[in-house]
Amino acid sequence: MSASTPAARARTGRTLHIWTPEDKAFWEREGEAVAKINLWISVPALFLAFAIWQVWSVVAVSLPGLGFKYSSNQLFWLAAAPALSGATLRIFYSFMVPVFGGRRWTAISTASLLIPAVGIGYAVQDNTTGYPTMLALALLCGLGGGNFSSSMANISFFFPKERKGSALGVNAGLGNLGVSVVQFLSPLVVTAGIFGIFGGEGQTIAKNGASVQVWTQNAAFIWVPWIALTALAAWFGMHDIADAKASFASQAAIFRRKHNWLMCLLYLGTFGSFIGYAAGFPLLIKSQFPDVNPLAYAWLGPLVGAVVRPFGGWLADKVGGARVTLWNFAVMAIAVVGVIQFLPHGGVGGNFAGFFVCFLVLFLTTGIGNGSTFSMIPAIFLAEAMRGVDANDTTAVAQAQKEGNTLGAATLGFTAAIAAYGGFFIPKSYGSSIALTGGPEFALWTFAVFYVLCIVVTWWYYARKHAEMPC
């Protein structure tokens, strides 16, 4: 292709100077191919981010058997701390793509995952490692949590309005698989010294009355080469969009928009539940059903939630995000009540099968709700920006679309930041409820009431007839 062709003029290196995905001719000619390249590099980067973010949900369960003298509350803190730091970092990551560019920021933020991955791998090999060191490493895993906000904001720029829900669902859904895979893969990779002399010595633990050698460091080291390769792929394969450039000040307009805060509430109910349940599920199983191996079951919940998320985005694109979100919250409230019914009560051991099935329904609905709420956000802000704009004024339409896409992307990132606090709040709520009342029921009833609030907000602002912002 010669340098004079439109496609060549539209690109300089890895920067796209012309990007108009709402133009169907442009999209079919070259936009779709470029967008898919960026999506399919973004997916493994986000997958690895989630794996590192949630590695403590597995490592924390293993520490007592390795000789670490930490209390139950300290272990819950280690499982919850990555969510606390990750949620806080998301607030800043939300605005990074328009400032630095999606390609640059994806590569840099992915490479940063090497810090906690290597650190944990060395720390768990010595059971005299102090708790403050472990807590610091858990907080550093929040680097993986932060990546979600920038990744979703970046991908939202590449796709037209009618494809955003599906694209964001694929990016987040396959990325969320990192939670399930880290919980499934870790118990397998620790059984052998797969890194030889480079991976360190094994540790001896007691299992079923026998001494067994394990390499717990592999739960972290296994991700190191993939992180390095994916960071390079992002740097050399992805693109920056020139029109997506925006200052922090221009993006900060979302803080004055009511729908930003309303969607923060709804996404806290969906993604906050997903990541919180995933982080606390292994420890909750262990505390309520001591005879059950939590790592044999816990990974299935996040797997269900992650796999179904693209379907939630697709379904929202077809029938409306608000309608899907409304009914989804209703099922979530019912499922929480079901979980409560199957917990141990009054000295009776409870029913693990019923408990587990109800939790799988919860994970299923968190995944669908994640997809549907994230399809609502771009639609809301684009519609808001287009109100009052003359459809025949191409300049005004282009400016409104840019504003809507920029604010929509910033809101995607910021709502993800607020929602990520659910990953801290839910495990800590379990721990606090158990410490104060002897069981997790009070925490679970609180979650059910919160879902009812989300139903009311979704219906009033987005789903009812004559709603303020139907979507």
Side-chain angles (χ1 to χ4, degrees), residues 100-328:
F100 292 98
R103 175 186 67 90
R104 293 181 182 88
W105 189 252
T106 301
I108 293 169
S109 61
T110 301
S112 73
L113 303 177
L114 292 169
I115 300 170
V118 173
I120 294 169
Y122 281 107
V124 297
Q125 295 182 54
D126 181 4
N127 61 17
T128 64
T129 301
Y131 185 74
T133 300
M134 290 298 201
L135 187 59
L137 288 168
L139 290 169
L140 281 170
C141 285
L143 291 168
N147 285 12
F148 181 81
S149 285
S150 53
S151 177
M152 296 297 277
N154 183 46
I155 291 303
S156 74
F157 283 111
F158 281 95
F159 288 83
K161 181 178 67 173
E162 68 272 11
R163 300 282 293 274
K164 286 185 189 290
S166 299
L168 292 171
V170 168
N171 190 50
L174 298 184
N176 288 170
L177 279 175
V179 179
S180 178
V181 171
V182 77
Q183 293 180 345
F184 172 77
L185 190 62
S186 295
L188 302 179
V189 298
V190 301
T191 60
I194 56 179
F195 293 104
I197 60 172
F198 301 103
E201 298 293 328
Q203 306 97 39
T204 301
I205 63 170
K207 186 175 182 179
N208 298 324
S211 294
V212 178
Q213 195 169 33
V214 296
W215 288 260
T216 307
Q217 62 268 31
N218 289 355
F221 283 159
I222 191 66
W223 306 108
V224 170
W226 303 109
I227 292 170
L229 288 172
T230 304
L232 290 172
W235 184 263
F236 292 106
M238 295 183 76
H239 297 85
D240 297 313
I241 299 176
D243 282 347
K245 290 287 186 179
S247 66
F248 172 80
S250 63
Q251 297 177 78
I254 65 170
F255 298 125
R256 299 187 297 273
R257 302 296 178 89
K258 174 175 62 179
H259 293 290
N260 170 59
W261 299 105
L262 292 174
M263 292 310 300
C264 282
L265 178 76
L266 300 186
Y267 198 55
L268 177 62
T270 56
F271 180 79
S273 297
F274 171 81
I275 201 64
Y277 290 144
F281 202 28
L283 286 173
L284 182 65
I285 293 174
K286 189 173 184 179
S287 68
Q288 299 303 299
F289 300 93
D291 295 332
V292 175
N293 176 12
L295 298 184
Y297 297 93
W299 62 276
L300 286 167
L303 175 65
V304 169
V307 168
V308 80
R309 180 165 182 158
F311 171 74
W314 174 84
L315 186 63
D317 285 344
K318 295 297 181 183
V319 304
R323 183 182 301 177
V324 175
T325 300
L326 178 72
W327 288 105
N328 196 73

